[in-house]
Amino acid sequence: MAGQGPDHALAVENLSVAYPLKGRDKSGARRRLLAVDDVSFAIRRGTTLGIVGESGSGKTTAAMAAALDAAALRRARQRVQIIFQDPYSSLNPRLRAAEIVREPMLHAGRTNRAEQDRVIDELFEAVGLRPEQKSLFPHQFSGGQRQRIGIARALSTRPSLIICDEPVSALDVAVQAQILNLLKSLQRQFDLTYLFISHDLGVVQHMCDEVAVMYMGKFMEQAERDSFFAAPRHPYSRALLDAVPTIEAAARPRPPLVDGAIPDLSEPQTGCRFASRCPHAMPRCENEVPLLADATGAAGHHRLACHLADEIGSAASG
Amino acid sequence: MATPLLEVRDLGVRFTTRDGQVTVLDDVSFTLERGERISFVGESGCGKSMTALALMGLLPAMGQVSGGSINFKGEDLATASEARMRQIRGNEISMIFQEPMTSLNPVFTIGRQIAEVLQLHRGLDRRTARARAIDLLEAVRIPNAAARVDDYPHQLSGGQRQRVMIAIALACEPEVLIADEPTTALDVTVQAEIFALLRDLGAKLETAIILITHDMGAVAQMAERMLVMYAGRRVEEGRVADIIKAPAHPYTRGLIACVPHISTDATRRLERLPEIDGIVPPITSFGRDACLFAPRCGRASEVCHGERPAPAGVAGHKAHSVACWHPHEGGA
């Protein structure tokens, strides 16, 4: 399922993930929850794809499934690493910082101790930690410094793809800027490819070259950064963008979301998952699943899963 | 001008720890008018939540008010008895918290938890309180309130739970509602709905709102005035529009600039975000006579490290003050 084209660090086609549930449905089949439904994406080397969505949208599941699948390819494991959201629980409290960074190299079978030490020294410097901090334990670091250790750990096997799972959500705003700047400079320095998962559209706009908006297991919209932020087309993308509190005073009046029930993903979906909350929904939206297709009139790559694509496309920049 | 609803003057809070006394809040002053919305902004540990807890008489056991006054409608809450504070809490001053699940009791229905406040503070009988609870659930826009009143907290979504917390907090139509990061645990579309709800109900009931947050966007949407806090002190205060347009304190300026705010101008692309270097100082240094931001500040000089800057007015703005030896002047 996951492969690598010449220009792509990762290509995922038709990825679905289901969790088994207790009980059986009417036909006697095991019930299951379809957390990720037929998602495809590719990330060009050295670039960043952002997956945005609210809690429960499946964005983390999709990324982790893509990573696992890539890891299933022989020797691929060391090529994909993850930076986690919580710098407190994602570091082993009983290991010294240098050993935390060393671990992935051991798993990858790089047993030359001198070589490991060289990589550790190099990465401590690259992420802005001092050499004497190598022998400290995680609790002796601040949250931002811990996230730096997590980043050094992710880099130690020289991965070609790093999944950043809400890497700054648990940090104070001033520290967030430091970590985001670090991730960007490391990307240039080591030619890294990021799959960047976030609920924060401001962060995604800053970090990503391409954006995918996910809702209830499906990609709703997928586009190059500039095309997306200049003219988001999907009603859900617009609702998300409008909901972000901005320091620019001018509010954009758009129809409010409908307070509808969220679909039950343990049942087969017959229509658009967003229809129950969409201010523009029409009967077709409940009866036919919209497919991701090229948006009309967009500059560059811009795909959209919405039956109303043509109606709202022209007024997109509003 | 008439006396404000709430006037906090030179409020100090100290913690008694194994290593001795540490200052947590240092000379915090502000006023709040009836129906006004103010925001406390700053990073974790800056004292914004501690200020709120001091107002509520809910300081942790190791903490005590070490100076100053909290004048609420002619009464000093800093010296009020616990019995008196119990009458005020949830009745005249209410608070909602970040995590609505841990603030609600999981074994009682939401209707009972709303009714309890009304029975306690307003002496309503059970039936009247229940009917009023349904009204309140409708007011916070819970669909089908008459049926949902018998739900338990786990049957509600995160956003609905926060609505229930708001219903409880507003049940007695308090004069002040303190909202401590009320939407941090919620999705952004839900956050927008909660903010709209707080604005509407605050205006309707003439409840003054204190919003505690680290998010300048939230401040811009919700508050008329803001108080920027750093290391237990007020570093800048003024009208939200004035401060966002021309922040005078280097820390405020950094807080606004370091966040990648969403922009409709997609061509605008920053390679690097402006950083505030370093981290917040350890709490043991909070009481020192110096500008505590100086070690992280690009404008710091000798005086900043040796003397505490007093709040002073900012030219050209009414009620805009800054505690800084080298404030920024004029526009951004």
Side-chain angles (χ1 to χ4, degrees):
Chain A
M1 203 173 350
Q4 295 186 2
D7 304 326
H8 290 128
L10 178 72
V12 172
E13 278 168 47
N14 309 113
L15 175 72
S16 294
V17 180
Y19 293 111
L21 297 173
K22 277 185 192 162
R24 291 173 187 280
D25 64 17
K26 285 173 209 136
S27 65
R30 277 293 288 274
R31 289 179 65 232
R32 53 185 211 142
L33 186 143
L34 199 53
V36 176
D37 186 2
D38 196 17
V39 158
S40 301
F41 58 88
I43 317 175
R44 276 175 289 122
R45 279 182 209 288
T47 70
T48 302
L49 168 70
I51 302 185
V52 218
E54 299 184 283
S55 49
S57 62
K59 56 190 190 297
T60 298
T61 307
M64 295 304 158
L68 283 176
D69 201 58
L73 296 169
R74 195 164 160 67
R75 294 185 70 246
R77 185 185 196 135
Q78 53 191 286
R79 314 282 298 168
V80 182
Q81 291 287 345
I82 305 170
I83 298 167
F84 296 95
Q85 171 176 356
D86 186 348
Y88 295 86
S89 63
S90 60
L91 301 181
N92 185 337
R94 285 172 299 197
L95 287 186
R96 294 179 196 274
E99 301 315 304
I100 291 172
V101 178
R102 190 190 306 278
E103 269 207 316
M105 292 189 273
L106 297 173
H107 292 306
R110 298 192 186 173
T111 49
N112 183 332
R113 185 98 186 162
E115 171 64 14
Q116 290 170 4
D117 288 337
R118 196 191 59 72
V119 171
I120 291 168
D121 287 346
E122 183 196 18
L123 288 175
F124 263 66
E125 191 186 339
V127 302
L129 292 168
R130 294 192 305 277
E132 64 269 24
Q133 292 175 308
K134 284 191 293 184
S135 58
L136 300 181
F137 289 98
H139 74 266
Q140 295 169 288
F141 291 91
S142 69
Q145 287 173 325
R146 279 182 229 198
Q147 200 55 301
R148 289 174 196 267
I149 298 172
I151 292 169
R153 172 177 63 184
L155 287 174
S156 66
T157 57
R158 285 292 139 80
S160 50
L161 175 74
I162 296 183
I163 297 174
C164 307
D165 187 7
E166 302 267 12
V168 297
S169 305
L171 305 174
D172 261 322
V173 284
V175 182
Q176 284 193 10
Q178 297 167 3
I179 297 296
L180 292 175
N181 283 341
L182 174 64
L183 287 171
K184 273 205 153 187
S185 74
L186 291 170
Q187 180 166 40
R188 276 191 307 274
Q189 191 180 345
F190 295 106
D191 193 26
L192 299 171
T193 309
Y194 292 143
L195 176 52
F196 197 96
I197 301 160
S198 181
H199 70 281
D200 185 331
L201 282 152
V203 170
V204 166
Q205 183 177 38
H206 177 68
M207 292 296 291
C208 299
D209 303 289
E210 187 158 334
V211 182
V213 178
M214 206 166 171
Y215 183 76
M216 303 302 283
K218 273 259 184 223
F219 277 6
M220 298 277 139
E221 188 161 5
Q222 194 176 2
E224 284 169 13
R225 170 192 182 273
D226 291 2
S227 182
F228 177 79
F229 284 100
R233 289 161 184 250
H234 199 287
Y236 177 64
S237 309
R238 294 177 174 196
L240 265 186
L241 278 159
D242 288 351
V244 177
T246 163
I247 56 168
E248 295 168 11
R252 287 159 292 182
R254 291 233 174 96
L257 286 188
V258 179
D259 195 9
I262 285 162
D264 178 358
L265 293 187
S266 67
E267 302 289 333
Q269 299 298 308
T270 54
C272 173
R273 286 157 172 71
F274 186 58
S276 60
R277 293 174 71 198
C278 182
H280 308 287
M282 45 187 196
R284 186 181 172 200
C285 302
E286 268 146 46
N287 302 323
E288 193 183 326
V289 178
L291 300 174
L292 206 58
D294 286 333
T296 45
H301 170 60
H302 198 139
R303 289 159 72 79
L304 181 69
C306 179
H307 292 313
L308 290 139
D310 294 331
E311 283 86 338
I312 59 178
S314 51
S317 53
Chain B
M1 200 199 281
T3 39
L5 174 69
L6 177 70
E7 181 170 21
V8 172
R9 192 169 284 181
D10 302 332
L11 180 67
V13 168
R14 252 186 270 169
F15 278 8
T16 309
T17 69
R18 274 183 304 182
D19 304 325
Q21 301 257 314
V22 290
T23 302
V24 181
L25 280 188
D26 203 355
D27 286 352
V28 171
S29 301
F30 70 96
T31 60
L32 187 64
E33 305 288 343
R34 197 169 288 277
E36 191 183 25
R37 295 193 304 266
I38 195 171
S39 190
F40 298 170
V41 198
E43 293 174 271
S44 18
C46 71
K48 54 194 196 297
S49 293
M50 206 52 68
T51 307
L53 293 177
L55 297 182
M56 295 285 284
L58 288 175
L59 287 175
M62 70 196 313
Q64 80 258 1
V65 173
S66 56
S69 60
I70 304 169
N71 193 308
F72 177 63
K73 296 193 293 181
E75 186 176 358
D76 185 9
L77 302 187
T79 54
S81 68
E82 173 55 24
R84 176 68 189 127
M85 287 311 296
R86 265 202 298 273
Q87 290 173 342
I88 292 172
R89 273 200 298 269
N91 189 16
E92 291 164 79
I93 306 179
S94 293
M95 189 159 175
I96 55 174
F97 299 90
Q98 181 180 133
E99 188 25 85
M101 192 60 209
T102 52
S103 312
L104 288 167
N105 190 329
V107 302
F108 293 115
T109 64
I110 56 171
R112 175 142 178 215
Q113 294 183 60
I114 301 171
E116 186 185 20
V117 186
L118 292 160
Q119 290 170 264
L120 183 73
H121 287 300
R122 290 291 147 102
L124 297 190
D125 64 64
R126 237 186 141 110
R127 274 184 56 185
T128 325
R130 181 185 157 87
R132 180 87 186 101
I134 295 172
D135 292 346
L136 282 160
L137 287 176
E138 270 166 11
V140 296
R141 299 171 198 156
I142 299 255
N144 198 7
R148 303 305 294 273
V149 70
D150 295 317
D151 278 359
Y152 288 88
H154 74 89
Q155 293 170 285
L156 307 177
S157 70
Q160 287 172 330
R161 280 182 214 133
Q162 195 58 287
R163 287 166 197 270
V164 171
M165 286 309 300
I166 293 170
I168 292 173
L170 295 180
C172 298
E173 306 191 356
E175 274 125 329
V176 181
L177 173 70
I178 303 170
D180 188 355
E181 303 264 8
T183 57
T184 305
L186 303 176
D187 281 325
V188 58
T189 53
V190 181
Q191 165 173 286
E193 292 163 7
I194 296 288
F195 281 167
L197 181 67
L198 284 173
R199 275 197 310 263
D200 292 353
L201 291 177
K204 201 168 136 205
L205 303 173
E206 276 209 303
T207 297
I209 295 177
I210 300 176
L211 175 73
I212 298 173
T213 183
H214 61 275
D215 180 352
M216 277 294 173
V219 175
Q221 301 254 304
M222 280 296 293
E224 294 141 359
R225 281 196 303 130
M226 73 163 114
L227 198 76
V228 183
M229 296 187 68
Y230 188 78
R233 295 178 195 172
R234 177 184 72 165
V235 296
E236 187 161 5
E237 187 198 352
R239 286 188 24 208
V240 170
D242 292 341
I243 293 183
I244 285 181
K245 205 163 142 217
H249 199 287
Y251 177 63
T252 314
R253 186 161 284 229
L255 264 191
I256 294 171
C258 74
V259 177
H261 294 286
I262 202 141
S263 165
T264 42
D265 178 7
T267 53
R268 208 184 68 122
R269 188 155 204 185
L270 282 177
E271 194 42 49
R272 287 179 65 80
L273 296 165
E275 286 183 22
I276 306 174
D277 289 334
I279 55 167
V280 289
I283 198 163
T284 44
S285 73
F286 272 26
R288 277 179 44 227
D289 273 329
C291 171
L292 295 177
F293 185 62
R296 303 174 74 183
C297 182
R299 296 164 82 89
S301 67
E302 204 169 316
V303 65
C304 308
H305 294 280
E307 274 181 69
R308 177 193 297 241
V314 173
H317 287 157
K318 228 175 90 183
H320 183 175
S321 78
V322 62
C324 177
W325 290 112
H326 308 293
H328 291 271
E329 281 162 31

